[in-house]
Amino acid sequence: AFRDRSSSCGCRTLSPPALMSRDISVDASFLESQRAKAEERRRRFEAAAREPPPPLPKRSMAWPGGKIVTPNKAEAIASFLERKAGSLDEAKERVLLGELGRAAAEAGAGAAADGVEG
């Protein structure tokens, strides 16, 4: 059922049986170079293959009583306001100052709950 088909451009495409019937010849020097490359690669990685695998990564988890580092929101807002001094309009500055007050209150409440003075 497979046969050569001519396309509209005038070129011929070969069907699968025609491709399979072609003889494939390989140059002996090509085969030898591939064998040499394979041997070189085997020698290069031979030492690494004898080494033990690398250690597994350490798993770190927080636990009750462990130190959990959280960003200090009040400090971040204060430094932002300091950098943008004079360039913010009054409404934005008011909103950020309100956020600064809330963040400082939350940080103080969190420190008091932990028994740490803030």
Side-chain angles (χ1 to χ4, degrees):
F2 290 109
R3 60 186 153 215
D4 292 345
R5 289 172 263 170
S6 296
S7 64
S8 61
C9 67
C11 58
R12 294 178 59 197
T13 57
L14 296 177
S15 59
L19 290 176
M20 288 187 279
S21 66
R22 290 187 175 177
D23 290 332
I24 298 175
S25 62
V26 180
D27 186 19
S29 64
F30 173 75
L31 287 177
E32 188 56 39
S33 70
Q34 291 300 308
R35 285 188 190 108
K37 286 180 183 179
E39 179 61 26
E40 180 184 333
R41 180 176 170 77
R42 187 191 64 75
R43 275 188 268 118
R44 187 172 11 146
F45 293 106
E46 190 174 41
R50 286 191 301 256
E51 294 177 5
L56 295 174
K58 285 188 175 183
R59 295 174 56 132
S60 58
M61 298 179 91
W63 65 91
K67 183 178 181 182
I68 299 175
V69 179
T70 57
N72 188 343
K73 186 175 181 179
E75 188 178 305
I77 293 173
S79 67
F80 178 76
L81 284 170
E82 199 175 296
R83 281 194 321 270
K84 298 294 180 176
S87 65
L88 295 172
D89 62 9
E90 191 176 319
K92 287 182 182 178
E93 193 167 341
R94 207 170 338 131
V95 168
L96 286 170
L97 286 171
E99 282 290 319
L100 177 63
R102 278 192 291 282
E106 288 175 8
D114 290 339
V116 177
E117 293 183 23

